[in-house]
Amino acid sequence: MAEEDGVRIRILQSLRGKICEGKNLGSCSAPNRQRDLCTFCTISLDQEEVFRTNVFEKSLSPLYGEDFYFEIPRPFQCLSFYVFAKGVFQRDLPVGKVSIRKEDLCKFSGKEHWFGLQPVDPNSEVQGKVHLEMRLNNLITENGSVCQQLVVRIIECQGLPLISGQNCDPYATVSLVGPARFDQKKTKVKKKTSDPQFEETFYFDVTRPNSYTRKSNFQVEEEDIEKLEIKVELWNNGNLAQDVFLGETRVSVKILRNDIHRAWYLLQPKGNGNKSKIDDLGSLRLNVTYTEDNVLPSACYTPLRTLLLQSPDVKPISASAAHILGDVCRERYEAVLPVVRLLLHHGRLVPFVSAIAALELEHTQEANTIFRGNSLATRCIDDMMKIVGRSYLTVTLKPVLDEICESNKTCEIDPIKLKEGDNVEVNKENLQVYVQKVFSSITQSSSCCPPLMCDMFRSLRHMASKRFPADPHVQYSAVSSFVFLRFFAVAVLSPHTFQLRSHHPDLEVSRTLTLISKTIQTLGSWGSLSKNKLSSFKESYMYDFFKSFQEDKCIEKVKKFLDEISSNISKESSGVEDSVVLKEGEVQKRAQGKKRIGKKNFKKRWLRVTNRELSYHKHKGKEAICVILVKNIRAVEKLDESAFNRKNMFQVLHIEKPLYVQAGNCVEASEWIEVLSQVSRCNSGRLGTFHPSAYVAGAWLCCRSPNENQPGCRPCTPTMLANLQLDIDCDRETERIFSLLTSSYSKLQKMEDACASIAVYQGPQREQDDYSLFTIQEPKETFHTVQQIRQVLEDLQREHDVRSGTAQYGSQENPIVGKTS
């Protein structure tokens, strides 16, 4: 394991949350314009947009309701949320922004907050870092006096922003600034790059020799080094247009002394010191959770992973490591998911959930309340269905939900909410058609239900019948409470959350989906089969509407569907895997076979990848222009920016010419590479090396080889073995569990104390607050598991301490935050 032990820590970042709503958006100084304000929000990593909401029509206080989740593929300084007013005949106008520095994200994690909008000032929109080397030299002049010379070497920059979607043409100005002095020098312009290599050195005389007189340009004969500073500004050369400010950093000369100072500096906004009062631009309500996982080599997690995977075999189940995690992190909504994913990947989820469901059923007194709470069992099953049932939802619901969202038919049946001109009978007919389509799609989908879900439902059905043998309907309600109430009805209500739609629907469509969801819940509910289902509706209009569905054939369809997805007959795979769309979206694609670099060689295309093929189309929904079978993909790799002077490019290497693609942003590029790499990871003809640049003008730009068929000059990126549909990184999930248990260490200690106390003093102590927080059926076994967990946590923490040395301040990984004026 020596080689693996030397592997560096993987730092994996992710962001999830919700853009909830805006309030009083727009400037107070323009009330007339506000009334027609149509707004949308964007999310940017530094200055790179990675997410955009739908446009919200004509409201000062829009309810966006947009969920977001993405992996962050690169370092960043600042997360920003922008509000834009949609322009009709002109470009979109910024209303304001919320900017949160990376180090401050933890203050807001997991909770909703209102943020006041700040103005969007071009001089504050900066990103990137600059690498500088500075020193003071002593020089002897012709008359023998000594003066000091400041030497500033600007080496390179990284991560400069795109300008109008393209790489910038950057240059730098280097200035020596003092109370009575301003000397400025300028580098050459570097064309089409966000990572310019300058390698230019500038010289400034700092202390003046005695021969200088007060008639010179300097008011002091010998300057005070304590008051001098170096200012480096980055600019984009605008050619005929105005140059654009990209950022600056300032370094005091006094830090140099006699040493060479070499360091990376983060670029800062222009230090104009403008503190004037600004208009109230409104506010945004946001929920933001930033996660950073420092993942160790896989071998480090073996003890904790083994302990967790043994959980289904522990008797009683409440003494298992996975159950204890759920107990001590009961208030942490994110605690269950990593356990579910880990057990799922190793085929241990069904026995674990069956055991904890059985424990819950022991304490369920009435059949009609079965699995209705927010327990560990129900949360595990919810998360499992979201993971393994994603393709199932896509096949079953997406076509009909697309029709509902795009047809724009009115379905409001509440008399109070009807608009002028609405016909309630027409609306009711529209709604009935939609409900019937959704209901039919669900009840005819049993053959598509994932085998793992069927196994789970079969187990639940058996346990429910055993617990309540006198109730003939409980076997169905145990299943319907999950598949209808917690799966299909929730997906209909929020299709964007399940990736069935790219955005949150507008208010009218959202209302239609709410009405459909409520009806589907009732149609699929078997908790009160022997009673009148109409009693479940509080609203009279829903009561009247549902009467049309009170037919025996609807009940029979639901019963047949539940029988099919939870029967004792094992589902046999047909051997032919359904084609599932894994990702699709608009990209820029370079024409294949072109020998020259040029802007015209790139065209917008709709890229689509399924588990069988990669295709691109002129527009969404059009016939494919080109189809590449997944089995023919040999590698998927990033492309150097220098290849075509474009960021966020990747290449798909297959049996013909490479396919060069530019994604919209860094998040999109990372997602394309990930899904294509995973879907093709087991292909027999995968390459071991690749060229990180392009073959142009008779040579590879990376290694200068003139042979187009020359094997690659860089090793291919190894792909993690993972189930593509589940997308599970077991080491990352185990690291998350380690972090959760570490943050709940005090509760683990309380559980250990409770076990010791109960073992010695049976009885009253069980009811004390500290003890009643936990499920302790067998104190000795639970005590033993808690001790094992604590030992594993201590060992893992030592591994983290040894391996995660903080990068030196001023290094490329930990740049200095330069001062601003």
Side-chain angles (χ1 to χ4, degrees):
M1 302 302 292
E3 184 177 341
E4 186 175 21
D5 286 344
V7 176
R8 294 179 61 187
I9 289 179
R10 290 188 291 145
I11 301 176
L12 305 176
Q13 309 170 98
S14 62
L15 191 75
R16 73 167 64 247
K18 189 171 190 174
I19 302 175
C20 305
E21 61 177 314
K23 184 165 62 178
N24 300 327
L25 300 181
S27 171
C28 296
S29 60
N32 294 329
R33 188 167 153 267
Q34 283 187 56
R35 284 197 293 269
D36 297 324
L37 203 63
C38 298
T39 62
F40 63 92
C41 292
T42 66
I43 302 177
S44 291
L45 295 173
D46 298 322
Q47 297 308 301
E48 184 176 13
E49 181 184 315
V50 295
F51 180 84
R52 178 177 291 216
T53 70
N54 273 337
V55 176
F56 203 97
E57 300 293 331
K58 298 182 181 181
S59 174
L60 294 180
S61 299
L63 292 168
Y64 295 111
E66 291 270 18
D67 297 290
F68 57 85
Y69 172 80
F70 50 85
E71 298 289 325
I72 301 175
R74 62 168 178 81
F76 72 102
Q77 302 173 40
C78 193
L79 177 71
S80 299
F81 298 82
Y82 292 83
V83 178
F84 286 92
K86 185 68 179 173
V88 180
F89 300 111
Q90 57 184 347
R91 65 185 180 88
D92 302 329
L93 298 174
V95 175
K97 69 174 182 177
V98 174
S99 288
I100 309 172
R101 295 197 67 84
K102 178 182 175 181
E103 57 267 25
D104 295 328
L105 282 169
C106 60
K107 299 177 185 177
F108 310 105
S109 187
K111 296 181 181 178
E112 291 183 0
H113 295 269
W114 281 99
F115 296 87
L117 293 180
Q118 301 297 316
V120 178
D121 173 15
N123 287 332
S124 69
E125 306 294 291
V126 304
Q127 72 174 61
K129 53 193 174 185
V130 59
H131 194 191
L132 302 175
E133 182 181 278
M134 296 159 283
R135 68 180 185 272
L136 280 171
N137 288 341
N138 289 324
L139 296 181
I140 301 176
T141 63
E142 292 179 358
N143 61 7
S145 59
V146 177
C147 72
Q148 285 190 304
Q149 183 185 60
L150 173 65
V151 183
V152 180
R153 178 177 163 227
I154 179 165
I155 303 170
E156 62 179 314
C157 288
Q158 286 188 354
L160 298 181
L162 300 177
I163 303 295
S164 301
Q166 299 296 321
N167 282 332
C168 54
D169 296 333
Y171 68 89
T173 60
V174 182
S175 306
L176 182 62
V177 182
R181 172 167 198 181
F182 185 84
D183 284 356
Q184 186 177 85
K185 303 180 188 295
K186 177 181 172 182
T187 69
K188 295 176 182 177
V189 175
K190 299 295 181 181
K191 293 289 186 180
K192 302 300 178 189
T193 177
S194 297
D195 302 318
Q197 299 284 328
F198 289 109
E199 286 294 350
E200 294 192 43
T201 303
F202 301 101
Y203 301 90
F204 301 90
D205 289 338
V206 178
T207 19
R208 302 298 169 184
N210 294 333
S211 59
Y212 275 79
T213 68
R214 291 185 180 275
K215 293 180 181 178
S216 69
N217 293 329
F218 305 99
Q219 298 176 8
V220 291
E221 202 142 316
E222 188 168 313
E223 291 185 291
D224 184 358
I225 290 182
E226 299 289 318
K227 297 179 181 178
L228 292 177
E229 66 179 10
I230 305 151
K231 181 170 73 171
V232 179
E233 293 181 319
L234 272 296
W235 296 84
N236 176 63
N237 182 38
N239 292 321
L240 299 178
Q242 186 175 358
D243 291 356
V244 177
F245 176 76
L246 301 178
E248 70 169 35
T249 190
R250 296 168 180 247
V251 184
S252 175
V253 174
K254 67 183 180 182
I255 72 167
L256 303 183
R257 303 304 177 191
N258 296 320
D259 298 325
I260 294 177
H261 177 75
R262 182 169 175 160
W264 285 86
Y265 284 84
L266 288 177
L267 294 175
Q268 300 295 307
K270 186 181 282 293
N272 52 24
N274 185 8
K275 304 292 184 181
S276 60
K277 185 180 182 300
I278 58 173
D279 290 334
D280 181 6
L281 302 176
S283 54
L284 273 182
R285 182 163 61 91
L286 304 171
N287 188 327
V288 181
T289 299
Y290 168 73
T291 304
E292 183 174 293
D293 297 315
N294 294 279
V295 183
L296 300 170
S298 186
C300 299
Y301 296 110
T302 300
L304 179 55
R305 188 166 50 238
T306 301
L307 196 58
L308 291 161
L309 293 177
Q310 289 171 346
S311 294
D313 303 323
V314 175
K315 301 289 189 295
I317 193 65
S318 60
S320 68
H323 194 285
I324 287 171
L325 172 68
D327 252 0
V328 299
C329 301
R330 190 174 297 178
E331 297 170 2
R332 300 286 295 272
Y333 76 94
E334 77 273 30
V336 171
L337 183 58
V339 174
V340 169
R341 291 167 75 91
L342 186 67
L343 294 176
L344 189 57
H345 181 84
H346 290 277
R348 302 288 283 155
L349 183 63
V350 172
F352 175 70
V353 175
S354 297
I356 60 175
L359 178 60
E360 180 175 331
L361 282 171
E362 288 179 16
H363 299 91
T364 303
Q365 302 304 317
E366 298 182 21
N368 61 358
T369 63
I370 192 169
F371 299 128
R372 290 302 177 96
N374 189 25
S375 64
L376 179 60
T378 57
R379 285 187 295 163
C380 283
I381 297 172
D382 283 350
D383 283 338
M384 179 270 288
M385 291 191 299
K386 288 176 184 176
I387 297 168
V388 304
R390 181 177 170 183
S391 297
Y392 181 32
L393 285 177
T394 300
V395 171
T396 306
L397 291 183
K398 194 175 191 319
V400 65
L401 289 177
D402 284 344
E403 179 188 344
I404 293 168
C405 294
E406 292 165 12
S407 62
N408 208 25
K409 290 183 180 179
T410 304
C411 297
E412 185 55 72
I413 58 174
D414 183 352
I416 298 175
K417 294 183 178 181
L418 289 173
K419 298 178 182 177
E420 187 177 349
D422 280 353
N423 185 320
V424 69
E425 291 304 318
V426 172
N427 293 358
K428 187 179 294 185
E429 186 177 330
N430 291 338
L431 182 61
Q432 189 169 355
V433 169
Y434 284 155
V435 169
Q436 196 63 55
K437 284 186 176 182
V438 172
F439 179 71
S440 297
S441 294
I442 293 172
T443 54
Q444 294 171 13
S445 71
S446 61
S447 63
C448 300
C449 187
L452 194 75
M453 288 175 62
C454 294
D455 291 344
M456 190 73 261
F457 296 150
R458 183 164 59 251
S459 177
L460 293 175
R461 179 174 179 169
H462 172 73
M463 288 187 293
S465 297
K466 186 177 179 181
R467 176 70 179 86
F468 298 101
D471 190 329
H473 305 303
V474 72
Q475 60 176 316
Y476 295 111
S477 61
V479 178
S480 67
S481 62
F482 287 105
V483 74
F484 275 99
L485 273 66
R486 294 174 177 265
F487 188 58
F488 284 120
V490 179
V492 169
L493 188 63
S494 304
H496 59 296
T497 305
F498 292 82
Q499 292 83 48
L500 299 175
R501 297 286 294 175
S502 57
H503 291 287
H504 182 71
D506 62 37
L507 288 176
E508 188 168 332
V509 174
S510 185
R511 173 62 178 164
T512 298
L513 297 177
T514 299
L515 295 171
I516 295 171
S517 179
K518 292 174 74 168
T519 311
I520 291 298
Q521 282 186 50
T522 306
L523 281 171
S525 174
W526 281 70
S528 53
L529 186 65
S530 57
K531 303 175 184 177
N532 186 352
K533 288 189 179 185
L534 294 172
S535 62
S536 64
F537 289 114
K538 297 178 182 178
E539 309 95 336
S540 58
Y541 62 86
M542 286 300 297
Y543 181 95
D544 293 335
F545 174 69
F546 192 76
K547 284 181 181 178
S548 60
F549 295 96
Q550 276 288 65
E551 301 173 0
D552 289 343
K553 64 178 183 179
C554 283
I555 296 175
E556 285 305 310
K557 284 181 179 179
V558 173
K559 181 177 181 294
K560 180 175 181 291
F561 170 69
L562 295 175
D563 278 335
E564 289 171 345
I565 64 172
S566 61
S567 65
N568 289 324
I569 302 172
S570 299
K571 287 185 60 177
E572 293 291 336
S573 172
S574 64
V576 179
E577 190 178 7
D578 290 334
S579 180
V580 177
V581 177
L582 303 173
K583 184 172 176 60
E584 57 182 336
E586 190 174 80
V587 298
Q588 293 276 349
K589 184 198 74 69
R590 185 174 190 262
Q592 291 178 287
K594 295 290 184 180
K595 299 297 183 184
R596 294 181 177 273
I597 297 176
K599 187 174 181 180
K600 292 182 180 179
N601 290 339
F602 283 85
K603 294 184 178 180
K604 285 185 179 179
R605 290 291 181 257
W606 188 263
L607 196 64
R608 188 171 184 262
V609 59
T610 73
N611 52 330
R612 293 178 181 173
E613 62 188 32
L614 169 67
S615 59
Y616 58 82
H617 315 246
K618 192 167 184 179
H619 302 290
K620 182 180 181 181
K622 297 291 186 182
E623 289 295 318
I625 298 173
C626 176
V627 175
I628 301 170
L629 296 179
V630 162
K631 66 181 181 181
N632 292 334
I633 295 176
R634 306 176 72 189
V636 185
E637 296 288 346
K638 289 182 180 179
L639 200 67
D640 283 354
E641 180 185 318
S642 59
F644 301 107
N645 291 323
R646 288 173 176 245
K647 292 178 74 72
N648 304 320
M649 287 202 67
F650 63 93
Q651 55 183 320
V652 181
L653 304 175
H654 55 112
I655 57 176
E656 297 178 13
K657 293 284 185 182
L659 176 65
Y660 297 123
V661 180
Q662 182 184 28
N665 55 60
C666 64
V667 170
E668 281 288 309
S670 179
E671 290 175 353
W672 281 115
I673 292 170
E674 176 68 18
V675 72
L676 284 165
S677 295
Q678 288 294 343
V679 78
S680 63
R681 73 190 185 280
C682 295
N683 289 352
S684 57
R686 283 191 67 88
L687 297 175
T689 59
F690 75 104
H691 289 286
S693 196
Y695 186 82
V696 178
W700 288 102
L701 298 179
C702 42
C703 59
R704 309 311 304 175
S705 171
N707 182 3
E708 189 171 3
N709 297 318
Q710 176 77 19
C713 55
R714 184 181 297 178
C716 285
T717 306
T719 55
M720 298 287 292
L721 284 177
N723 183 316
L724 177 67
Q725 297 297 321
L726 304 184
D727 189 24
I728 296 173
D729 181 342
C730 287
D731 293 339
R732 186 178 192 178
E733 303 305 333
T734 313
E735 170 61 28
R736 286 179 176 170
I737 293 169
F738 162 71
S739 298
L740 287 162
L741 287 169
T742 300
S743 64
S744 303
Y745 199 82
S746 61
K747 289 187 177 179
L748 276 174
Q749 181 65 60
K750 286 184 178 180
M751 178 178 274
E752 187 175 336
D753 293 344
C755 291
S757 180
I758 293 170
V760 177
Y761 304 104
Q762 293 289 347
Q765 283 76 7
R766 181 186 291 268
E767 303 303 320
Q768 293 182 12
D769 289 342
D770 281 352
Y771 305 161
S772 59
L773 291 173
F774 312 118
T775 306
I776 303 176
Q777 294 176 288
E778 176 53 61
K780 290 183 180 179
E781 188 67 30
T782 306
F783 181 85
H784 176 63
T785 306
V786 172
Q787 282 195 317
Q788 287 181 294
I789 292 173
R790 289 182 60 186
Q791 183 60 55
V792 165
L793 295 184
E794 290 170 8
D795 293 343
L796 259 177
Q797 188 59 58
R798 277 194 293 271
E799 289 284 355
H800 273 284
D801 293 341
V802 168
R803 294 170 183 270
S804 60
T806 304
Q808 182 179 352
Y809 191 46
S811 65
Q812 188 173 352
E813 296 79 16
N814 188 18
I816 297 169
V817 180
K819 70 172 185 174
T820 58
S821 61

